[in-house]
């Protein structure tokens, strides 16, 4: 402890002018001693030493703003070691490759866990906390947009539309409240389709109605879509995608926003399968409650399954055969 | 300042940057992990660590820079920014009127925030023990960050190069190193020239591409190709437009950065910036590719590469000595920096 280190060459700045002083630094009796262009000494306890690094210059600051730059990192580290100086745990972690590797694994794990478990819970909580009026506005523009680009007015006569609406309205719904909804009919360029918007609009295409064997099956589809509304699936999905987008933008933000927009798109695919099952369960519960045989709902997916695999309705949905089996097994 | 009194030939001092991608990777990943597990709170300390590392790795004439930012001040700034941005986004969903009120409110505070953040950034930077500073007044900040941009929207953006010049002039003439002010002498005309060249090149490329697209579409119809080839032709054309924009944008960035720094002085000392189009484009493209391929793990390396190139392309023509600067009076730098501590750092780049 007491053996003297060779004095280290250092550059000293007094904090008042930009003048460079060449000095040497040595440690004696708990004091840092400078000699050379300027003479000065200061108790070690009053000095602040910058964090260890292999490529940045290390600095020692005095209480009055003066400071030293030391070029010889290795010798300075030895000197610090002998005075009992110890790096903080964050610095030790940053300076070791093993620490960095550990941090990488832990980061990936933390990101994965929060995506898998934390985000759905938070999104659900937020979705239910959003007032219905705000949620309605989320989907407001969507139907207008689709009407302009994808849909034409329905060819179904008004009486038939009204009959389907009132037939569905007579059904009892599971759970303690029925979400507000409006059934709209459209003719589409994209084939048989049905979906629910956060605005409460349940869209049913003419092609879908043609495809289905009977009205009970149509009720099944509507029940499934009502399930999406009840569980606020689209809102939750919107919240999740934007959270992932915001997270990605924070991680890679300063380099490129192009990169930041990719992950939400990729991660979105898996989500829909779980959600479809939830909506199917709601439909199953609703049909049962009204004494409609589940086979009607199963027939929906049998019919959809016969269609070409390229339909948009199918691409984000679980395989039809899997769903048919699931619905049929729920009937027993 | 009279430059001609000392007739000595200037000495070129290039900036060097000693940080490496691998060391920054370790700092970055630890910072990232701690920021995630603390739900973002640590990000303020992460910023301080990162800046200290980068500043201490930046050398001019043998001495390095230093960052003094205080993590608590940064955290306060970040919380305020999150509240503001969050409130702004929610406001529009509640009702258009509330949204509009929030928009006006944002416009009223934003220039003040930018001004505070400029002050914070410069005050917390030092070189050779002397702190930088920013003198511009709040009134000027409102002029350059609010009134002129609003005026510009009424001219269909034609004022943009003028505005850009005024903004840079404001920023660079109001910045100081200790008690010495920077100066800026790039003309409005030179900004217009740079912008015009950029738009001319962009447009020329687009016209050529549109011509090619039309030709190929006609060809496709003539040979009665199927929908797939038509679609891929259009997709290819859109991709080509993007690619062209991505090639021309670095040219603009290079020219404007060179223009700004080649017309900035600190007293008699002149700055020089020598970025080149090819190298800038190469670095930007390969960085993007690296980040995509490694799912983001390359981003600290990319950051260091880009920073290193930009910094090392900059040099200072030193007339005489760099020993003569003095700290601004009444700004005794203490460890606490009383009176300056409550300066918030509104990191608008987040
Ligand atoms: Zn569904």
């Amino acid at each position: 402890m007491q053996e003297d280190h060779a004095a280290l060459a250092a550059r000293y700045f007094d904090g008042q002018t930009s003048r460079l002083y060449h000095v040497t630094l040595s440690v004696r009796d708990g004091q840092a001693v400078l000699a050379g262009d300027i003479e000065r000494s200061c108790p070690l306890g009053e000095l602040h030493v910058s964090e260890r690094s292999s490529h940045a210059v290390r600095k020692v600051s005095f209480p009055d703003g003066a400071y030293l730059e030391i070029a010889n990192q290795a010798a300075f580290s030895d000197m610090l070691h002998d005075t009992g100086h110890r790096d903080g745990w964050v610095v030790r972690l940053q300076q070791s490759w093993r620490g960095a590797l550990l941090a990488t694994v832990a980061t990936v794990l933390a990101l994965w866990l929060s995506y898998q478990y934390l985000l759905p819970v938070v999104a659900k909580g937020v979705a239910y906390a959003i007032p219905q009026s705000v949620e309605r506005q989320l989907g407001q523009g969507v139907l207008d947009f689709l009407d302009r680009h994808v849909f034409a007015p329905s060819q179904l006569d008004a009486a038939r539309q009204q009959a389907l609406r009132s037939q569905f309205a007579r059904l009892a719904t599971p759970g303690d409240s029925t979400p507000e909804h409006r059934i709209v009919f459209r003719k589409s360029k994209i084939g048989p389709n049905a979906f629910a918007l956060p605005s409460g609009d349940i869209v049913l295409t003419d092609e879908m109605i043609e495809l289905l064997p009977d009205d009970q099956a149509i009720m099944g589809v509507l029940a499934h879509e009502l399930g999406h509304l009840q569980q606020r699936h689209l809102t939750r999905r919107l919240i999740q995608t934007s959270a992932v987008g915001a997270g990605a933008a924070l991680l890679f933000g300063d380099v490129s926003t192009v990169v930041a927009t990719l992950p939400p798109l990729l991660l979105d695919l898996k989500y829909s399968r779980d959600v479809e099952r939830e909506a199917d369960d709601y439909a199953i519960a609703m049909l049962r409650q009204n004494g409609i045989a589940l086979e009607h709902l199963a027939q929906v997916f049998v019919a959809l399954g016969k269609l070409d695999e390229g339909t948009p309705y199918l691409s984000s949905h679980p395989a039809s055969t899997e769903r048919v089996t699931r619905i049929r097994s729920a009937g027993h | 300042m009279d430059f001609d009194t000392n007739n000595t030939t200037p000495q070129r001092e290039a900036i060097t940057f000693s940080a490496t991608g691998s060391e920054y990777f370790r700092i970055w990943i630890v910072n990232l992990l701690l920021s995630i597990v603390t739900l973002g709170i640590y990000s303020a300390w992460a910023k301080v660590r990162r800046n200290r590392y980068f500043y201490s790795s930046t050398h001019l004439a043998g001495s390095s820079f230093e960052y003094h930012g205080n993590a608590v001040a940064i955290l306060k700034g970040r919380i305020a920014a999150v509240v503001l941005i969050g409130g702004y986004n929610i406001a529009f969903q509640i009702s258009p009127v509330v949204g509009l009120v929030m928009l006006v409110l944002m416009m009223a505070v934003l220039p003040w925030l930018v001004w505070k953040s400029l002050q914070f950034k410069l005050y917390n930077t030092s070189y050779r023990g002397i702190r930088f500073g920013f003198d511009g007044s709040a009134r000027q900040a409102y002029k350059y960050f609010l009134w002129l941009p609003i005026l510009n929207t009424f001219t269909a953006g034609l004022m943009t190069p003028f505005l850009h010049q005024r903004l840079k002039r404001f920023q660079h003439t109001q910045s100081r190193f200790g008690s010495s002010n920077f100066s800026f002498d790039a003309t409005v005309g030179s900004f217009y020239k740079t912008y015009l060249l950029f738009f001319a090149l962009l447009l020329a490329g687009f016209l050529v591409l549109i011509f090619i697209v039309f030709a190929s579409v006609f060809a496709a119809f003539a040979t009665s190709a199927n929908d797939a080839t038509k679609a891929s032709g259009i997709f290819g054309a859109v991709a080509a437009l993007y690619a062209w924009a991505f090639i021309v944008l670095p040219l603009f960035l290079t020219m404007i950065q060179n223009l700004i720094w080649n017309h900035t002085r600190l007293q008699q000392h002149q700055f020089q910036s020598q970025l080149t189009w090819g190298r800038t484009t190469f670095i930007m493209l390969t960085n993007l590719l690296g980040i995509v391929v490694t799912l983001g793990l390359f981003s600290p390396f990319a950051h260091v590469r880009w920073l290193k190139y930009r910094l090392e392309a900059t040099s200072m023509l030193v007339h005489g000595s760099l020993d003569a600067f003095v700290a601004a009076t009444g700004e005794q730098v203490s460890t606490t920096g009383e009176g300056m501590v409550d300066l918030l750092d509104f990191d608008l780049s987040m």
Side-chain angles (χ1 to χ4, degrees), chain A residues 68-135:
Chain A
L68 287 170
E69 281 185 356
I70 295 140
N72 190 341
Q73 303 274 345
F76 182 58
S77 284
D78 286 348
M79 182 186 266
L80 275 178
H81 184 81
D82 288 350
T83 61
H85 180 90
R86 238 169 103 64
D87 296 318
W89 62 273
V90 177
V91 177
R92 272 179 279 145
L93 206 59
Q94 283 171 345
Q95 288 302 321
S96 84
W97 271 110
R98 194 187 296 166
L101 197 70
L102 223 72
T104 311
V105 173
T107 304
V108 171
L109 205 70
L111 285 175
W112 185 76
L113 284 176
S114 36
Y115 172 71
Q116 196 75 9
Y117 299 105
L118 194 64
L119 189 59
V121 175
V122 172
K124 200 169 179 174
V126 173
Y128 284 115
I130 291 176
Q132 195 106 59
S133 60
V134 174
E135 195 187 4

Side-chain angles (χ1 to χ4, degrees), chain B residues 165-239:
Chain B
Q165 191 268 355
R166 281 292 183 271
L167 231 136
K168 280 294 155 192
R169 195 182 67 172
F170 169 60
Q171 226 179 308
H172 282 209
T173 52
Q174 299 302 317
S175 298
R176 57 181 167 70
F177 175 55
S179 56
S180 313
N181 267 80
F182 286 81
S183 63
F184 184 70
D185 63 359
T187 60
V188 173
S190 55
F191 272 75
Y192 269 98
K193 238 177 13 201
T194 310
Y195 271 84
L196 273 176
L197 184 68
F198 168 64
F199 279 113
L201 269 171
L202 200 65
L203 207 67
F206 278 10
L207 286 177
V208 169
L209 281 169
I210 285 167
F211 179 76
I212 293 171
V213 169
F214 266 107
S216 63
V217 166
F218 278 124
F221 276 104
T223 56
S224 63
N226 57 1
D227 282 350
T229 45
K230 279 176 204 161
S232 70
I234 287 169
F235 179 78
V238 172

